[in-house]
Amino acid sequence: MEKINGKSIFNGIAIGKILFYSKDAGQVKRVKITDPRAEMERYNKAKEKAVEELNAIYARAVKEVGELNARVFEVHAMMLEDDTFHDSIQNIIETQHVNAEYAVATTGDNLSAMFAEMEDEYFRARAIDVKDIAERVISILLGKSRSNDIGNEPVIIVAEDLAPSETVQMDKEKLLAFVTRLGSANSHTAILARTMNLPALVGVDIREEWNGKTAVVDGSAGELIIEPDEATLAEMRERQEEIARNRELLENLKGKEDITRSGKKIKLYANIGGTGDVANVIKNDGAGIGLFRSEFLYLESGDYPSENDQFQAYRTVAENMAGKKVIIRTLDIGADKQVDYFRLEKEENPAMGYRAIRICLDRTDIFKTQLRALYRASAYGSIGIMFPMIISVEEVRQIKTIVEEVKKELDEQQIQYGSVELGIMIETPAAVMISDLLAEEVDFFSIGTNDLTQYTLAIDRQNSRLDHIYDAHHEAVLRMIRMVVENGHKHNIWVGICGELGADLSLTREFIRMGIDELSVSPGAILPIRKIIRETE
């Protein structure tokens, strides 16, 4: 028996045979050609077929993992149409007089290496996307299939890395878990693994000799166990059965109230990144949406999304939630979320730089466009708006002045809108310390524990070297949360948590004792938290 450590992407336990998955786009050789125009025609036909394949994968992925997670395949298709990708291939073919396969492989390697060297973890994770689309085109040019047939029996996939398209095309009934050497928690494949509720590990020192061997993936411990002994197998099967029993019990909680034994009601809401996530909120019986990250509308667009595009997205969510509360956070661009068309200057310390509400109050044209869309959508459901990265009362008053200007414009144009709650995110120590003053200005607080922890402990949460001292349970963080709750309640406003700490089951009872009114978490965490709420005095 051998135990190997990795970084867990999704908890759970999988037991089965290992299938060592290796890519085979075919050996790419450099071949001299005499007709560059004919070679470009070969490439263009292969590209068109690749786009058709990606569109088909997108349609399948929407059904299996939701619209938001499927959009990566739309992005892949757009990358194939990108001038940078196309022009590089054309230049290599025409100047070097080489075959299309070699030009595509070289372009894929160059662009992938460029992404891999970027400081931002999100963009580093995009390196695998570039490789994936290059390998797809190469396979078509070589006349080879990219079939992801993994056999007839359920298996644990072990691979160097997995592209999103490979993951989605595998038969979900035959997948037990993923284990890869490369990849990160921010990769699309990791996101898909979480969406499909599959145990997954990355950063594992994999070996091809494991192929066919029995193994255990223990997501909670971050371990891969090769050829476990009988005692270990028995223990893991017992834990699997316990997990299955707990899931069944949790299903029975659907339709139940989020109320403690002593009668305190908690608003148990969900965090989402786009319209495609609403189905998961409904499936998991969320009482509302406590955080709609509106910046994803900007991140997934090649230009500033129009007022109407935003209105349609917000309206769709509001209508689908059928009167349940939907709280939408205004644009939170900057720091680790960069958008090319915003043309933001590179900063030495972007987490504390030009971001979120600072951009909105500086570029009021962008801010007003979003606010108009939000208020228009409020006529179709129960919408609340909250503003990120607040540090002063003056900022809140400035926001409220702009809101009144937007409402006046809508009134003059006879455009209907509903009653909208206005709140702020408490995610800076400054906001915590003046939360008694801020509470006089707004309808609610939502505590963003991710940034609050980062700023309180002076630790960059993107820096993996500091993971061992990044402690969201730090007493300073918990005291700040308690102070915000007390100040909010003194001024008769409700207080919630929308950061990752809200889904920390070890703190649920503590938050209830503090007096937290709302918890907003990922849809899959709703029922486990409901269980704790209903068991708490």
Side-chain angles (χ1 to χ4, degrees):
M1 183 172 74
E2 181 182 10
K3 291 185 178 182
I4 301 96
N5 292 324
K7 183 176 182 179
S8 178
I9 296 302
F10 189 78
N11 291 342
I13 293 171
I15 302 171
K17 299 277 188 184
I18 284 177
L19 174 65
F20 196 92
Y21 182 86
S22 58
K23 304 173 191 288
D24 183 19
Q27 184 67 34
V28 177
K29 295 180 180 178
R30 189 177 193 274
V31 179
K32 280 286 185 179
I33 52 99
T34 57
D35 190 349
R37 183 176 295 178
E39 206 62 20
M40 273 304 297
E41 189 174 338
R42 280 186 69 228
Y43 164 70
N44 285 326
K45 287 181 179 178
K47 181 184 75 173
E48 288 174 10
K49 185 175 180 182
V51 170
E52 288 176 10
E53 288 181 358
L54 286 165
N55 289 336
I57 296 170
Y58 170 77
R60 175 177 173 177
V62 167
K63 296 176 183 177
E64 295 182 354
V65 297
E67 182 183 352
L68 182 66
N69 291 314
R71 284 181 186 163
V72 59
F73 305 111
E74 282 189 317
V75 173
H76 280 202
M78 286 190 288
M79 288 170 78
L80 274 171
E81 303 284 3
D82 184 76
D83 287 344
T84 302
F85 193 78
H86 177 87
D87 292 349
S88 173
I89 291 165
Q90 184 172 11
N91 179 63
I92 291 171
I93 289 174
E94 292 180 351
T95 60
Q96 299 183 35
H97 285 71
V98 291
N99 55 319
E101 291 90 337
Y102 178 80
V104 174
T106 301
T107 296
D109 288 344
N110 291 343
L111 291 178
S112 178
M114 181 184 74
F115 276 112
E117 291 172 2
M118 289 185 176
E119 292 182 9
D120 189 281
E121 186 176 352
Y122 175 84
F123 288 107
R124 285 203 305 271
R126 300 293 73 78
I128 185 64
D129 296 336
V130 177
K131 293 285 285 184
D132 186 34
I133 64 170
E135 287 168 2
R136 178 173 299 280
V137 176
I138 292 167
S139 295
I140 294 169
L141 286 166
L142 291 170
K144 292 182 177 287
S145 169
R146 293 190 93 210
S147 169
N148 292 310
D149 183 8
I150 56 178
N152 297 318
E153 294 184 6
V155 291
I156 295 169
I157 295 291
V158 173
E160 184 75 5
D161 204 348
L162 287 167
S165 59
E166 291 171 322
T167 309
V168 164
Q169 290 181 90
M170 291 176 181
D171 186 345
K172 306 306 172 293
E173 294 182 3
K174 309 289 175 55
L175 279 177
L176 298 173
F178 295 128
V179 177
T180 64
R181 186 179 73 82
L182 301 175
S184 74
N186 292 316
S187 71
H188 285 301
T189 298
I191 294 168
L192 292 174
R194 287 193 287 267
T195 303
M196 294 185 286
N197 295 328
L198 288 173
L201 302 176
V202 298
V204 176
D205 187 14
I206 63 170
R207 297 198 293 275
E208 196 166 352
E209 66 194 51
W210 295 342
N211 192 50
K213 292 184 177 180
T214 299
V216 174
V217 175
D218 184 350
S220 59
E223 281 186 340
L224 173 67
I225 306 172
I226 306 296
E227 295 187 314
D229 56 33
E230 286 302 318
T232 301
L233 272 177
E235 178 192 347
M236 292 299 171
R237 286 182 179 131
E238 187 176 329
R239 284 177 59 192
Q240 268 188 325
E241 290 172 4
E242 183 182 356
I243 290 169
R245 286 193 299 270
N246 287 338
R247 281 179 184 160
E248 287 180 16
L249 289 171
L250 289 174
E251 287 293 311
N252 294 328
L253 290 172
K254 287 184 177 179
K256 305 286 188 183
E257 278 193 293
D258 300 305
I259 187 169
T260 66
R261 289 182 175 178
S262 58
K264 178 176 173 59
K265 290 185 178 181
I266 306 293
K267 300 173 183 178
L268 189 48
Y269 292 170
N271 298 334
I272 68 168
T275 57
D277 293 338
V278 176
N280 259 341
V281 180
I282 295 170
K283 178 183 175 184
N284 287 280
D285 199 30
I289 292 170
L291 170 61
F292 179 167
R293 301 179 178 94
S294 70
E295 60 269 17
F296 280 92
L297 296 174
Y298 296 78
L299 289 166
E300 292 162 0
S301 176
D303 202 348
Y304 299 101
S306 68
E307 177 184 323
N308 205 51
D309 286 342
Q310 293 189 64
F311 162 67
Q312 293 296 342
Y314 306 143
R315 172 181 173 173
T316 297
V317 174
E319 287 182 331
N320 287 342
M321 289 304 293
K324 293 180 178 178
K325 179 66 71 178
V326 176
I327 297 173
I328 301 169
R329 178 175 70 189
T330 57
L331 176 64
D332 189 8
I333 288 293
D336 59 328
K337 290 171 284 191
Q338 297 289 326
V339 181
D340 287 344
Y341 57 83
F342 270 75
R343 293 182 173 85
L344 301 179
E345 294 180 5
K346 184 175 175 60
E347 297 177 297
E348 289 298 321
N349 194 349
M352 295 188 180
Y354 188 60
R355 58 174 294 198
I357 201 63
R358 298 166 184 178
I359 294 175
C360 290
L361 292 178
D362 187 41
R363 302 178 66 176
T364 54
D365 54 331
I366 297 172
F367 194 30
K368 279 191 171 183
T369 298
Q370 181 171 34
L371 288 172
R372 282 180 59 90
L374 287 165
Y375 267 89
R376 285 174 59 195
S378 69
Y380 299 87
S382 179
I383 283 182
I385 304 173
M386 65 181 179
F387 306 96
M389 280 294 290
I390 297 298
I391 62 169
S392 71
V393 172
E394 287 71 23
E395 284 174 330
V396 177
R397 290 176 179 165
Q398 199 175 343
I399 289 165
K400 289 165 72 175
T401 298
I402 295 170
V403 165
E404 289 304 315
E405 291 172 3
V406 167
K407 288 166 67 177
K408 184 179 178 182
E409 289 174 7
L410 294 174
D411 288 336
E412 290 172 350
Q413 295 166 357
Q414 296 185 329
I415 296 174
Q416 289 187 326
Y417 55 88
S419 176
V420 177
E421 278 192 311
L422 297 181
I424 59 172
M425 291 191 69
I426 303 291
E427 49 192 340
T428 66
V432 173
M433 299 310 295
I434 60 167
S435 54
D436 57 334
L437 303 178
L438 292 169
E440 296 177 356
E441 303 288 335
V442 295
D443 300 311
F444 67 91
F445 287 154
S446 187
I447 304 171
T449 55
N450 303 351
D451 271 334
L452 182 59
T453 302
Q454 169 176 243
Y455 296 134
T456 301
L457 302 184
I459 292 175
D460 180 0
R461 59 190 175 100
Q462 303 293 329
N463 189 336
S464 59
R465 292 177 63 184
L466 302 176
D467 281 351
H468 65 292
I469 56 172
Y470 181 90
D471 180 15
H473 289 215
H474 196 289
E475 182 58 30
V477 176
L478 298 179
R479 287 188 185 188
M480 285 192 166
I481 293 171
R482 190 176 293 109
M483 180 186 293
V484 172
V485 174
E486 290 172 355
N487 283 334
H489 288 175
K490 282 178 186 176
H491 292 84
N492 300 313
I493 69 170
W494 63 265
V495 182
I497 293 176
C498 66
E500 291 296 314
L501 213 55
D504 189 329
L505 301 180
S506 68
L507 286 173
T508 304
R509 288 186 174 86
E510 176 67 17
F511 290 149
I512 293 171
R513 283 193 290 270
M514 286 182 186
I516 280 289
D517 304 294
E518 179 244 24
L519 293 169
S520 189
V521 299
S522 62
I526 288 171
L527 293 178
I529 292 175
R530 176 170 295 165
K531 180 175 184 293
I532 295 176
I533 290 172
R534 293 177 61 85
E535 291 172 350
T536 301
E537 288 295 341

